[in-house]
Amino acid sequence: MSRPTVNDIAREAGVSLATVDRVLNARPGVRGKTITAVNEAIARLGYVRDMAAANLARSRRYPMAVFLPDGGGQFVQTVADALDEAAQQAAATRTEMSLIRYPAGDTHHLAALLAGVDPEAVAGVALMAPETPVLRDAVRALRARAVPVVALASDLPNAGCDHFIGIDSRAAGRTAGVLMGRFLGARPQRVAVLAETMLLRDAIERRRGFDEVLQADFPLVEVLPTLETHGATEALRRGLAEILTGTDLGGIYLLGSGHRALTAALEGMGLLGRVVVIGHELTKASRAALESGHIHAVIAQNPGHLARSTLRVLRAKADRQPIDEGQEQLRIDIVIRENLPA
Amino acid sequence: MSRPTVNDIAREAGVSLATVDRVLNARPGVRGKTITAVNEAIARLGYVRDMAAANLARSRRYPMAVFLPDGGGQFVQTVADALDEAAQQAAATRTEMSLIRYPAGDTHHLAALLAGVDPEAVAGVALMAPETPVLRDAVRALRARAVPVVALASDLPNAGCDHFIGIDSRAAGRTAGVLMGRFLGARPQRVAVLAETMLLRDAIERRRGFDEVLQADFPLVEVLPTLETHGATEALRRGLAEILTGTDLGGIYLLGSGHRALTAALEGMGLLGRVVVIGHELTKASRAALESGHIHAVIAQNPGHLARSTLRVLRAKADRQPIDEGQEQLRIDIVIRENLPA
DNA sequence: CGGTTTTTGAGGTACGCACCTCAAATTCAT
DNA sequence: ATGAATTTGAGGTGCGTACCTCAAAAACCG
């Protein structure tokens, strides 16, 4: 017994090959009754489309465009690398990718780039960007031109994207909160929260999740107001010093990037390894800090998974095919020194 | 420009299609000089053989056989389900899978099954089994008959498998150890270790990793000898009670399965939620226990990833193609209530 | 040099599917 | 019932490769 083919379906359903083809590829001009009959035959025979052959026959290409902020920190670079690697693999299914960088934060620039996307030349768009009104409109316009759009890492809930690929920031914050609470133990302690900026939705959501958990489950822990560093190492150092004059510090929660700066500041203060530090995203810096014991846990999303998921989802959207939610669901990874991936 | 094809190579090398084909498929009847010329043309054009088209032309199928223990606990069932799902997906690339169960622990039976594998009818074999001499020989014999073999979840280091798909048990144990140490805090505490049996390599390795970490980094924690329950709820209850008469218990490390029994025993003793419990593998039982706060962390490997990886690796081996190590590397997942996947 | 062996070329069929065209059959509305 | 619209069938071509046959060309041998 070999696998059933389209011919077998045609015979089984009592229709012609052309009709089976119309049903399989959702082409118009088939009665509902016939569609049902064909689908039943498909189910009866357990037919599975041979994607390799299908793609070969189509000789269709899937040029995808991915927009990433330029200079958005280590994490962005990690994602870019993962995307490049995923693209190499995906080339086997004629999925191509061009990575386009835009000045970080300049959503006007990005919106202009999106406006210039040619639906003929681009089968799908993925973007990592903060949500602004300009960008929201740009995404809407793109989708109106039938270009699938997915949000990467940071959701754009009101832009009407086809999909969001990333983890729930609030849940990630909750996870960080539980770890912080447990690592601190059952004594009264204070926790500082650091962020480059609180303007990004992600940071706000993480902080919210973090607070929720600590308030509910670890009442002995006091979470201090967020210290915004705006990327300035000096501001970080000063802020930390100020906090430390008033009181003892049990832990530090790093909402965004800045592992390197934090490590430097802590070293200067002789605090390295004496404070529980929990951060986000696995980058070269945070990995090194984990390895040397300077930070204790990182909440991360697997960049490889993120990248492959992005291309798969865009491909599915381009073909108007359903998405395997289970496979595309990104997990909230907890990374400590002992389970650092090689 | 699109990808070069065999025709492009023929033109570039100044030979005919037939000759290119002979070179590509290592057929005889070509002068060394010509072979070199063709290979140079291939290199110059950066030709990559389209395996999809090649296999289509060969109309090759990939029937894989996966052997799982019967009655090996919830985890095995979880893996089986994941494999079924992965097989459905993989069917699109003519990869088929048959799941074969053997009596858990009966490696003689399994060895007999492996001896009966027909290399013509099976493109690859995956198996989850403890390593025994009989099995080792059976695996060697299979590989001698040119059937790729991969080990699933539990490694068979001396059987000469083509690949191991799973996580490093020792590292998993270390991860559990760090979490236990941190969750317990900086007070002197005792930790009980439970296992159904210590005959399996996995359990031994986990325990070793666990001990290593606690000895080195958490000297205040005393790890008690392993309590083997042999699957008997009553033995578990008695053993725990015995431990509790002597001393206070800070934590419990569950080396293998048995979440349900442990929860029941703890409930009977009024200890639910008052002891730090860390276990392995995410199953229905351990998930429920995490949700209700009865256990605090689970060290797991993603069964979906494991399943997809298994089929991908077997397929690559069958085609004698290289493996994307990055993609096949399973992560050691730390799962707590807050990052339970949906 | 002729004869033999080896190498090469030309061309075809097949794999499973997509996509196209044109005509025939069926259904629908009036 | 009649014409129009819709639905279906038949058949073809091509995707990139494998594998086959037969004849032509080239290389080799003594």
Side-chain angles (χ1 to χ4, degrees), chain B residues 16 19 22 30-31 34 57:
Chain B
S16 78
T19 302
R22 288 179 184 116
V30 187
R31 271 187 308 174
T34 314

Side-chain angles (χ1 to χ4, degrees), chain A residues 13-185:
Chain A
V15 300
S16 78
L17 200 59
T19 301
V20 173
D21 177 69
R22 289 181 183 112
V23 173
L24 276 178
N25 297 292
R27 269 186 269 277
V30 188
R31 272 186 308 173
K33 228 187 258 184
T34 314
I35 295 183
T36 312
V38 171
N39 282 328
E40 274 166 3
I42 289 176
R44 237 175 298 136
L45 294 182
Y47 167 81
V48 184
R49 194 203 294 255
D50 183 337
M51 283 310 273
N55 290 330
L56 177 60
R58 249 190 279 261
S59 70
R60 173 173 178 184
R61 296 164 57 202
Y62 299 84
M64 306 298 182
V66 179
F67 296 88
L68 295 183
D70 201 356
Q74 266 294 316
F75 174 62
V76 178
Q77 192 51 50
T78 310
V79 171
D81 293 344
L83 279 166
D84 275 326
E85 204 186 311
Q88 277 201 324
Q89 275 246 345
T93 54
R94 287 182 318 292
T95 303
E96 298 147 28
M97 182 197 70
S98 36
L99 212 54
I100 300 140
R101 307 296 277 257
Y102 67 90
D106 191 347
T107 48
H108 280 83
H109 189 110
L110 176 55
L113 289 176
L114 293 184
V117 165
D118 175 10
E120 298 299 308
V122 175
V125 166
L127 46 93
M128 184 188 298
E131 186 171 47
T132 66
V134 190
L135 194 54
R136 211 181 49 211
D137 293 343
V139 168
R140 291 234 176 93
L142 248 189
R143 296 204 58 231
R145 284 185 284 153
V147 178
V149 180
V150 307
L152 227 55
S154 175
D155 200 3
L156 308 174
N158 301 309
C161 288
D162 293 86
H163 205 81
F164 163 57
I165 297 173
I167 60 180
D168 177 356
S169 293
R170 178 111 153 258
R174 291 178 60 87
T175 305
V178 171
L179 290 180
M180 182 61 83
R182 291 212 175 276
F183 283 11
L184 286 176

Side-chain angles (χ1 to χ4, degrees), chain B residues 145-169:
Chain B
R145 284 184 285 153
V147 178
V149 180
V150 308
L152 225 56
S154 175
D155 200 4
L156 308 175
N158 300 310
C161 288
D162 292 87
H163 205 81
F164 163 57
I165 297 173
I167 60 180
D168 177 356
S169 294

Side-chain angles (χ1 to χ4, degrees), chain A residues 93-292:
Chain A
T93 54
R94 287 182 318 292
T95 303
E96 298 147 28
M97 182 197 70
S98 36
L99 212 54
I100 300 140
R101 307 296 277 257
Y102 67 90
D106 191 347
T107 48
H108 280 83
H109 189 110
L110 176 55
L113 289 176
L114 293 184
V117 165
D118 175 10
E120 298 299 308
V122 175
V125 166
L127 46 93
M128 184 188 298
E131 186 171 47
T132 66
V134 190
L135 194 54
R136 211 181 49 211
D137 293 343
V139 168
R140 291 234 176 93
L142 248 189
R143 296 204 58 231
R145 284 185 284 153
V147 178
V149 180
V150 307
L152 227 55
S154 175
D155 200 3
L156 308 174
N158 301 309
C161 288
D162 293 86
H163 205 81
F164 163 57
I165 297 173
I167 60 180
D168 177 356
S169 293
R170 178 111 153 258
R174 291 178 60 87
T175 305
V178 171
L179 290 180
M180 182 61 83
R182 291 212 175 276
F183 283 11
L184 286 176
R187 288 167 304 155
Q189 307 238 27
R190 278 161 209 267
V191 172
V193 180
L194 304 184
E196 296 205 326
T197 166
M198 285 304 276
L199 292 177
L200 295 177
R201 162 187 309 277
D202 291 344
I204 299 169
E205 292 283 309
R206 285 173 185 169
R207 163 97 214 203
R208 184 169 357 172
F210 190 76
D211 288 354
E212 268 174 18
V213 163
L214 286 178
Q215 269 170 34
D217 299 344
F218 303 92
L220 295 180
V221 176
E222 181 191 348
V223 186
L224 302 174
T226 306
L227 175 60
E228 290 187 67
T229 65
H230 302 291
T233 313
E234 196 37 41
L236 191 159
R237 196 187 304 269
R238 243 199 336 267
L240 266 186
E242 199 170 308
I243 289 172
L244 282 165
T245 54
T247 167
D248 241 30
L249 200 57
I252 296 176
Y253 178 34
L254 192 55
L255 276 177
S257 55
H259 287 278
R260 221 182 306 258
L262 176 59
T263 303
L266 287 180
E267 183 157 30
M269 298 170 160
L271 276 180
L272 263 191
R274 317 189 49 176
V275 181
V276 174
V277 182
I278 294 182
H280 281 275
E281 306 309 353
L282 196 58
T283 64
K284 257 192 287 188
S286 60
R287 161 186 284 273
L290 273 175
E291 272 169 351
S292 50

Side-chain angles (χ1 to χ4, degrees), chain B residues 300-316:
Chain B
Q301 43 197 329
N302 188 325
H305 194 334
L306 186 115
R308 288 187 291 271
S309 212
T310 300
L311 297 184
R312 264 198 311 263
V313 167
L314 279 179
R315 187 151 184 344

